[in-house]
Amino acid sequence: MNKMLIQGGNKLFGELNISASKNAYLPILAATVLCEDKLVLHNYPFFTDADNMCKILTSLGANIENRDSDLIVDSSSLFSWGIESELASQVRSSIFMLGALLGRFKKARVAYPGGCEIGARPIDIHLAGFRKLGVKVEEKHGYIYCDAGNMHSAVILLDFPSVGATESLMMASVLTPGETKILNPAKEPEVVDLQNFLNKMGAKVRGAGTNEITITGVKKLHGCEFAPIKDRIIAGTYMIATAMCGGDVLLKGVKPDHLRAIIDKLDQTACKISIESDNIRVTSDGKPNALGKIETSVYPGLPTDLQAQIMALCCVSNGSTMIVENVFESRFKHVPELVKMGADVHVKDRVAFVRGVKKLYGASVSGMELRGTASLILAGLVAEGTTIVNNIKHVDRGYYHIEDDLATLGANIKRI
Ligand code: UD1
């Protein structure tokens, strides 16, 4: 079941409930290590990245149970503070575990996550932050060894507002006495959600979403129930799909405030977006205008996680768009595949020049990474004829049965 078969040309109509956010769930799962009581997380999203994070927690000794759509995590009997390379290589977010393990055990050993499909993805900002907190960090034989025996509060200025580093340092500091400040932190909604989860467990964190996060160390955290936010990237993907295909789609449960950048861009393509509290309605005639120049940036800018999908839209738009990828250095792997479908895209370094064409044509294409694979599926939805998207496992990392959602809206798509 590793391919998606798509007959392009259908408009999309209907409603979808958006699932919980992968990028909120992953650090929250890591943070469960900090608490020795039972935790109940609602709306488990069943993405493979989340499943792999659960495997990591289980390997450390956590007891995890799925009850309906809830996840019950009991980390009271954790016995290990080390993550082996086989597990670490399956989900890059294993790096979040460093901060959580340091908070719980004051030591950690995590296999180096290495580069990935979208760039080298160094972790120097994470490690510099730990060193500021007094953690002894050693990198040898592919592992990062951390000793937090002398960990103390500190003021940490991040060179770049890295999402992962901000979250890792928040987790490392919640059980550290004193007041730690993270300056120039990431402001993504998922960072705010982690703050809310930590505080629900009894931590004292404030300022997430602003330029300064303050963490006042507490002695112990306690159990709680928590519902992570809905996935703004999945919602954004379906908004773009509707803008491309035409139709009328209501996306339910997602915070419109988290999607301002994409709402603004889709407004410019001439589709109609209306906001009804936590619901977003997209109405489109399927003839989007081009966007001129757009660039990805940290929140609240255009998310890099929607760059590939918005490129698929630009490929069938009326006019030309220049797309600048500012966050990751190697995030255009979907371009040669879109070109196989008839797209007119040229890449130079971090810039893609897209000239809209009248039609894309069905082809056999291959996904290389999560969001790029989603963009090929969107291209297949509007292409003339049959598209086969191979290597579909990438999309399962962050979407649960994307084909079912799209089929519910009327797309002709199935997994084969
Ligand atoms: C998170 C998201 C990912 C999203 C990205 C940017 C999760 C699980 N993943 O990834 O979907 O695309 O934010 O919004 O939440 N960098 C360094 N050194 C570091 C850390 C980062 O140079 O120590 C660089 C990265 O290589 C990248 C940029 O900073 O070029 C942004 O990375 P970061 O914000 O850390 O992204 P992630 O947390 O890995």
Side-chain angles (χ1 to χ4, degrees):
M1 305 289 267
N2 197 26
K3 295 177 189 194
M4 214 66 98
L5 182 72
I6 308 165
Q7 286 295 335
N10 290 5
K11 291 194 175 213
L12 304 180
F13 292 95
E15 300 183 0
L16 280 181
N17 284 310
I18 298 300
S19 61
S21 158
K22 169 177 93 66
N23 288 353
Y25 236 98
L26 292 176
I28 284 173
L29 282 171
T32 60
V33 160
L34 293 163
C35 176
E36 294 182 42
D37 295 339
K38 255 190 198 165
L39 293 157
V40 181
L41 301 176
H42 296 303
N43 309 322
Y44 182 69
F46 294 101
F47 310 141
T48 51
D49 265 12
D51 291 346
N52 285 329
M53 199 65 168
C54 287
K55 279 188 200 152
I56 290 180
L57 292 173
T58 311
S59 79
L60 300 174
N63 210 325
I64 300 185
E65 200 189 316
N66 265 122
R67 212 175 283 157
D68 300 323
S69 62
D70 289 348
L71 196 76
I72 326 280
V73 185
D74 178 355
S75 297
S76 56
S77 52
L78 285 203
F79 52 76
S80 171
W81 39 270
I83 300 173
E84 302 311 319
S85 58
E86 203 191 312
L87 282 171
S89 63
Q90 281 173 25
V91 49
R92 209 199 117 80
S93 309
S94 53
I95 196 64
F96 297 135
M97 294 300 301
L98 259 184
L101 287 168
L102 288 179
R104 170 84 177 259
F105 292 107
K106 305 295 173 231
K107 55 185 172 182
R109 180 179 57 85
V110 175
Y112 201 84
C116 75
E117 301 87 351
I118 58 175
R121 296 185 91 169
I123 52 165
D124 53 320
I125 302 172
H126 300 237
L127 300 187
F130 289 145
R131 289 191 172 104
K132 265 268 172 191
L133 290 169
V135 177
K136 235 173 82 192
V137 181
E138 253 190 295
E139 293 171 82
K140 55 180 182 191
H141 315 308
Y143 280 87
I144 304 148
Y145 292 81
C146 291
D147 178 344
N150 293 319
M151 189 149 74
H152 51 71
S153 57
V155 176
I156 306 163
L157 172 63
L158 302 187
D159 282 348
F160 177 88
S162 152
V163 175
T166 303
E167 294 172 335
S168 226
L169 292 167
M170 284 163 76
M171 290 187 246
S173 310
V174 284
L175 296 172
T176 304
E179 194 173 84
T180 291
K181 280 189 191 292
I182 306 173
L183 311 182
N184 192 29
K187 299 191 192 74
E188 271 66 3
E190 295 77 19
V191 175
V192 178
D193 213 37
L194 177 64
Q195 166 180 280
N196 292 341
F197 175 59
L198 292 169
N199 286 344
K200 203 138 191 232
M201 290 193 292
K204 284 193 178 154
V205 186
R206 60 181 200 277
T210 73
N211 287 327
E212 183 174 314
I213 297 177
T214 305
I215 304 122
T216 308
V218 296
K219 285 218 163 70
K220 209 171 159 40
L221 300 181
H222 55 71
C224 71
E225 293 193 21
F226 193 75
I229 50 170
K230 300 298 170 73
D231 198 305
R232 62 193 169 104
I233 304 302
I234 295 180
T237 303
Y238 296 154
M239 289 167 72
I240 295 168
T242 312
M244 291 169 74
C245 296
D248 183 347
V249 169
L250 183 71
L251 300 168
K252 292 162 85 175
V254 70
K255 293 249 175 292
D257 265 355
H258 296 170
L259 282 151
R260 286 290 161 207
I262 193 70
I263 289 172
D264 181 56
K265 293 297 165 238
L266 291 183
D267 262 343
Q268 291 172 39
T269 68
C271 67
K272 190 170 163 262
I273 309 233
S274 35
I275 290 168
E276 302 151 14
S277 80
D278 278 359
N279 300 332
I280 300 177
R281 179 182 292 280
V282 183
T283 317
S284 161
D285 62 2
K287 294 185 184 114
N289 292 329
L291 288 166
K293 181 183 174 192
I294 56 175
E295 45 192 310
T296 62
S297 70
V298 297
Y299 190 82
L302 183 68
T304 173
D305 285 352
L306 284 173
Q307 176 259 109
Q309 299 90 315
I310 198 97
M311 183 185 289
L313 176 144
C314 295
C315 286
V316 290
S317 66
N318 181 15
S320 297
T321 306
M322 182 174 143
I323 304 177
V324 185
E325 172 53 63
N326 287 315
V327 182
F328 289 104
E329 71 276 17
S330 169
R331 208 167 194 183
F332 285 137
K333 295 217 166 119
H334 42 284
V335 169
E337 303 304 293
L338 290 171
V339 169
K340 277 187 201 162
M341 299 176 75
D344 183 348
V345 187
H346 296 273
V347 172
K348 189 157 191 313
D349 303 323
R350 285 177 172 235
V351 184
F353 301 91
V354 186
R355 199 170 312 150
V357 293
K358 285 221 158 59
K359 259 186 196 164
L360 292 177
Y361 296 92
S364 176
V365 290
S366 293
M368 308 285 177
E369 47 89 21
L370 166 57
R371 307 301 173 186
T373 309
S375 86
L376 300 178
I377 291 174
L378 298 197
L381 295 179
V382 293
E384 185 175 297
T386 306
T387 296
I388 293 176
V389 182
N390 301 290
N391 282 344
I392 212 67
K393 64 173 192 230
H394 293 294
V395 90
D396 294 333
R397 284 188 41 218
Y399 299 79
Y400 180 67
H401 287 202
I402 188 172
E403 70 276 21
D404 291 350
D405 281 352
L406 292 168
T408 300
L409 298 179
N412 188 341
I413 176 170
K414 65 178 178 199
R415 197 179 284 249
I416 52 169

Coordinates of all heavy atoms in Angstrom, one line a residue, residues 22-24 26-27 49 92-93 95-96 118-127 160-165 167 186 188 190 232 297-299 303-305 326-329 331 350 370-371, ligand 1:
K22 N 0.8 17.4 14.5 CA 2.0 16.6 14.7 C 3.0 17.4 15.5 O 3.6 16.9 16.4 CB 2.5 16.2 13.3 CG 3.9 15.6 13.4 CD 4.4 15.2 12.0 CE 5.2 16.2 11.2 NZ 6.5 16.5 11.8
N23 N 3.2 18.6 15.0 CA 4.3 19.4 15.6 C 4.0 19.9 17.0 O 4.9 20.3 17.8 CB 4.7 20.6 14.7 CG 5.4 20.1 13.5 OD1 5.7 18.9 13.3 ND2 5.7 21.0 12.6
A24 N 2.8 19.8 17.4 CA 2.4 20.1 18.9 C 2.6 18.7 19.6 O 3.1 18.7 20.7 CB 1.0 20.6 19.0
L26 N 4.4 16.0 19.1 CA 5.7 15.4 19.3 C 6.5 16.0 20.5 O 6.9 15.2 21.4 CB 6.6 15.5 18.0 CG 6.1 14.7 16.8 CD1 6.9 14.9 15.6 CD2 6.0 13.2 17.2
P27 N 6.6 17.3 20.7 CA 7.3 17.8 21.9 C 6.4 17.5 23.2 O 7.0 17.2 24.2 CB 7.4 19.3 21.7 CG 6.5 19.6 20.5 CD 6.3 18.4 19.7
D49 N 5.0 9.5 12.6 CA 6.0 10.2 13.5 C 5.6 10.1 15.0 O 6.4 9.9 15.8 CB 6.1 11.7 13.1 CG 7.2 11.9 12.2 OD1 7.8 11.0 11.6 OD2 7.6 13.1 11.9
R92 N 13.1 12.4 13.6 CA 14.1 13.4 14.0 C 13.8 14.1 15.3 O 14.7 14.6 16.0 CB 14.1 14.5 12.8 CG 15.4 15.1 12.7 CD 15.4 16.4 11.9 NE 15.8 17.5 12.8 CZ 17.0 17.8 13.1 NH1 18.0 17.1 12.5 NH2 17.3 18.7 13.9
S93 N 12.5 14.2 15.6 CA 12.1 14.9 16.9 C 12.6 14.1 18.1 O 12.4 14.6 19.2 CB 10.6 15.0 16.9 OG 10.2 15.5 15.7
I95 N 15.3 14.3 19.1 CA 16.2 15.3 19.7 C 15.5 16.1 20.8 O 16.2 16.5 21.7 CB 16.8 16.2 18.6 CG1 18.0 17.0 19.1 CG2 15.8 17.2 18.0 CD1 19.1 16.1 19.4
F96 N 14.2 16.2 20.7 CA 13.4 16.9 21.8 C 13.6 16.1 23.1 O 13.5 16.7 24.2 CB 11.9 16.8 21.6 CG 11.4 17.6 20.4 CD1 10.5 17.1 19.6 CD2 11.9 18.9 20.1 CE1 10.0 17.8 18.5 CE2 11.4 19.6 19.1 CZ 10.5 19.0 18.2
I118 N 15.4 17.5 4.0 CA 15.2 18.9 3.7 C 16.4 19.8 4.1 O 16.3 21.0 4.0 CB 13.8 19.4 4.4 CG1 13.9 19.3 5.9 CG2 12.6 18.8 3.8 CD1 12.6 19.9 6.6
G119 N 17.4 19.2 4.5 CA 18.6 19.9 4.8 C 19.5 19.3 5.9 O 19.1 18.2 6.4
A120 N 20.6 19.9 6.2 CA 21.5 19.3 7.2 C 21.0 19.3 8.6 O 21.2 18.3 9.3 CB 22.8 20.1 7.2
R121 N 20.2 20.2 8.9 CA 19.5 20.3 10.2 C 20.4 20.1 11.4 O 20.3 19.1 12.1 CB 18.3 19.4 10.3 CG 17.2 19.7 9.3 CD 16.0 18.9 9.4 NE 15.0 19.5 10.3 CZ 13.8 19.0 10.3 NH1 13.4 18.0 9.6 NH2 12.9 19.6 11.1
P122 N 21.4 21.0 11.6 CA 22.3 20.9 12.7 C 21.5 21.1 14.0 O 20.4 21.6 14.0 CB 23.3 22.0 12.5 CG 22.6 23.0 11.6 CD 21.6 22.2 10.8
I123 N 22.2 20.8 15.2 CA 21.5 21.0 16.5 C 22.4 21.8 17.4 O 22.3 21.8 18.6 CB 21.2 19.6 17.1 CG1 22.4 18.7 17.2 CG2 20.1 18.9 16.4 CD1 22.3 17.6 18.2
D124 N 23.2 22.6 16.7 CA 24.2 23.5 17.5 C 23.4 24.5 18.4 O 23.9 24.7 19.5 CB 25.1 24.3 16.5 CG 24.3 25.0 15.5 OD1 23.3 24.5 15.0 OD2 24.7 26.2 15.2
I125 N 22.3 24.9 18.0 CA 21.5 25.9 18.9 C 21.0 25.2 20.1 O 21.1 25.8 21.2 CB 20.4 26.6 18.1 CG1 21.0 27.3 16.8 CG2 19.7 27.6 18.9 CD1 20.0 27.8 15.9
H126 N 20.5 24.0 19.9 CA 20.1 23.2 21.1 C 21.3 23.0 22.1 O 21.1 23.3 23.3 CB 19.7 21.8 20.7 CG 18.6 21.6 19.8 ND1 17.4 20.9 20.0 CD2 18.4 22.1 18.5 CE1 16.6 21.0 19.0 NE2 17.2 21.7 18.1
L127 N 22.4 22.6 21.5 CA 23.5 22.2 22.4 C 24.1 23.5 23.1 O 24.5 23.5 24.3 CB 24.6 21.5 21.6 CG 24.1 20.1 21.0 CD1 25.3 19.4 20.4 CD2 23.4 19.3 22.0
F160 N 19.1 31.9 16.4 CA 18.0 31.8 15.4 C 16.8 31.2 16.2 O 17.0 30.3 17.1 CB 18.4 30.9 14.3 CG 17.3 30.7 13.3 CD1 17.1 31.5 12.2 CD2 16.4 29.6 13.4 CE1 16.1 31.4 11.3 CE2 15.3 29.5 12.5 CZ 15.2 30.3 11.4
P161 N 15.6 31.7 16.0 CA 14.5 31.2 16.8 C 14.0 29.8 16.4 O 13.0 29.6 15.8 CB 13.4 32.2 16.5 CG 13.7 32.9 15.2 CD 15.2 32.8 15.1
S162 N 14.9 28.8 16.7 CA 14.7 27.4 16.3 C 13.5 26.9 17.2 O 13.5 27.0 18.4 CB 15.9 26.6 16.5 OG 15.6 25.3 16.9
V163 N 12.6 26.3 16.5 CA 11.4 25.7 17.2 C 11.9 24.6 18.1 O 11.6 24.6 19.3 CB 10.4 25.1 16.2 CG1 9.2 24.4 16.9 CG2 9.9 26.2 15.2
G164 N 12.6 23.6 17.6 CA 13.1 22.5 18.4 C 13.9 22.9 19.6 O 13.8 22.4 20.7
A165 N 14.9 23.9 19.3 CA 15.8 24.3 20.4 C 15.0 25.0 21.5 O 15.2 24.8 22.7 CB 16.9 25.2 19.9
E167 N 11.9 24.5 22.3 CA 11.1 23.5 23.1 C 11.9 22.6 24.0 O 11.6 22.4 25.1 CB 10.3 22.7 22.1 CG 9.2 23.5 21.3 CD 8.5 22.8 20.2 OE1 9.1 21.9 19.6 OE2 7.4 23.2 19.8
A186 N 11.5 30.7 19.4 CA 10.5 30.5 18.3 C 9.1 30.9 18.9 O 8.9 30.7 20.1 CB 10.5 29.0 17.9
E188 N 6.1 30.0 17.3 CA 5.1 29.1 16.7 C 4.0 28.7 17.7 O 4.3 28.5 18.9 CB 5.8 27.8 16.1 CG 6.3 27.9 14.7 CD 7.5 28.9 14.5 OE1 7.9 29.5 15.5 OE2 7.9 29.1 13.3
E190 N 2.8 26.0 18.3 CA 3.1 24.7 18.9 C 4.0 24.9 20.1 O 4.0 24.1 21.1 CB 3.8 23.7 17.9 CG 3.0 23.3 16.7 CD 2.8 24.4 15.6 OE1 3.6 25.3 15.6 OE2 1.8 24.3 14.8
R232 N -2.3 23.1 11.9 CA -2.5 24.2 11.0 C -1.9 23.8 9.6 O -2.3 24.4 8.6 CB -1.9 25.5 11.6 CG -0.4 25.4 11.8 CD 0.2 26.6 12.6 NE 1.5 26.3 13.0 CZ 2.6 26.9 12.5 NH1 2.4 27.8 11.5 NH2 3.8 26.6 12.9
S297 N 9.1 32.0 6.2 CA 9.8 32.5 7.3 C 9.3 31.9 8.6 O 8.3 31.2 8.6 CB 9.8 34.1 7.3 OG 8.5 34.5 7.7
V298 N 9.9 32.3 9.7 CA 9.4 31.8 11.0 C 8.0 32.4 11.2 O 7.6 33.4 10.6 CB 10.3 32.2 12.1 CG1 11.7 31.5 11.9 CG2 10.5 33.7 12.3
Y299 N 7.2 31.8 12.2 CA 5.9 32.3 12.5 C 6.0 33.8 13.0 O 6.9 34.1 13.7 CB 5.3 31.4 13.7 CG 3.9 31.7 13.9 CD1 2.9 31.1 13.2 CD2 3.5 32.5 15.0 CE1 1.5 31.3 13.4 CE2 2.2 32.7 15.3 CZ 1.2 32.1 14.5 OH -0.1 32.4 14.8
P303 N 4.6 29.5 6.6 CA 5.4 28.4 7.1 C 6.1 27.6 6.0 O 5.5 27.4 4.9 CB 4.3 27.5 7.7 CG 3.0 28.1 7.5 CD 3.2 29.4 6.7
T304 N 7.3 27.2 6.2 CA 8.1 26.4 5.3 C 7.4 25.1 5.1 O 7.5 24.5 4.0 CB 9.5 26.2 5.8 OG1 10.2 25.2 5.0 CG2 9.6 25.7 7.2
D305 N 6.6 24.6 6.0 CA 5.9 23.4 5.9 C 4.7 23.5 4.9 O 4.1 22.4 4.6 CB 5.3 22.9 7.3 CG 6.5 22.3 8.1 OD1 7.6 22.2 7.7 OD2 6.2 22.1 9.3
N326 N 13.4 30.4 2.9 CA 14.4 31.0 3.8 C 14.8 30.1 5.0 O 15.7 30.3 5.7 CB 13.9 32.3 4.4 CG 13.9 33.4 3.4 OD1 14.9 33.6 2.7 ND2 12.8 34.1 3.3
V327 N 13.9 29.0 5.3 CA 14.1 28.3 6.5 C 15.0 27.1 6.4 O 16.0 26.8 7.1 CB 12.8 27.9 7.2 CG1 13.0 27.1 8.5 CG2 11.9 29.1 7.4
F328 N 14.8 26.2 5.3 CA 15.6 25.0 5.1 C 16.3 25.2 3.8 O 15.8 25.7 2.8 CB 14.8 23.8 5.2 CG 14.3 23.4 6.5 CD1 13.0 23.7 6.9 CD2 15.2 22.9 7.5 CE1 12.6 23.4 8.2 CE2 14.8 22.6 8.8 CZ 13.5 22.8 9.1
E329 N 17.6 24.7 3.7 CA 18.4 25.0 2.5 C 18.1 24.0 1.4 O 18.6 24.2 0.3 CB 19.9 25.0 2.9 CG 20.5 23.6 3.3 CD 20.3 23.2 4.7 OE1 19.4 23.8 5.4 OE2 21.0 22.3 5.1
R331 N 14.9 22.3 0.3 CA 13.5 21.9 0.4 C 12.8 22.1 -0.9 O 11.6 22.4 -0.9 CB 12.8 22.7 1.5 CG 11.7 22.0 2.1 CD 11.1 22.5 3.4 NE 10.3 21.4 4.0 CZ 9.6 21.5 5.1 NH1 9.6 22.7 5.7 NH2 8.9 20.5 5.5
R350 N 18.1 29.0 -3.2 CA 16.9 28.9 -2.4 C 15.7 29.5 -3.0 O 14.7 29.8 -2.4 CB 17.2 29.6 -1.1 CG 18.1 28.8 -0.2 CD 18.4 29.5 1.1 NE 19.1 28.7 2.1 CZ 18.7 28.5 3.3 NH1 17.6 29.1 3.7 NH2 19.4 27.8 4.1
L370 N 8.0 14.5 3.6 CA 6.6 14.7 4.0 C 5.8 15.7 3.2 O 4.8 15.4 2.5 CB 6.6 15.0 5.5 CG 5.4 15.5 6.1 CD1 4.2 14.6 5.9 CD2 5.6 15.7 7.6
R371 N 6.2 17.0 3.3 CA 5.3 18.0 2.7 C 5.4 18.0 1.1 O 4.5 18.3 0.4 CB 5.7 19.4 3.2 CG 5.7 19.5 4.7 CD 4.4 19.1 5.4 NE 4.5 19.1 6.8 CZ 3.5 18.7 7.7 NH1 2.4 18.3 7.2 NH2 3.7 18.6 9.0
Ligands
UD1_1 C1 10.2 22.3 13.4 C2 9.0 21.5 12.8 C3 9.2 21.5 11.3 C4 9.2 22.9 10.7 C5 10.3 23.7 11.4 C6 10.3 25.1 11.0 C7 8.6 19.9 14.5 C8 8.5 18.5 15.0 N1 9.1 20.2 13.3 O1 11.4 21.7 13.0 O2 8.0 20.8 10.8 O3 9.5 22.8 9.3 O4 10.2 23.6 12.8 O5 9.1 25.7 11.2 O6 8.1 20.8 15.2 N2 18.8 25.1 13.0 C9 20.2 25.2 13.2 N3 20.7 24.7 14.4 C10 19.9 24.2 15.4 C11 18.5 24.1 15.1 C12 18.0 24.6 13.9 O7 21.0 25.7 12.4 O8 20.4 23.8 16.4 C13 18.3 25.6 11.7 C14 17.7 24.4 10.9 O9 18.7 23.7 10.2 C15 16.7 25.1 10.0 C16 16.2 26.3 10.9 O10 17.2 26.4 11.9 O11 17.4 25.6 8.8 C17 14.9 26.0 11.5 O12 14.9 24.9 12.3 P1 14.0 24.6 13.5 O13 13.1 25.8 13.8 O14 14.8 24.1 14.6 O15 13.1 23.4 13.0 P2 12.8 22.1 13.8 O16 12.5 22.3 15.2 O17 13.8 21.0 13.4

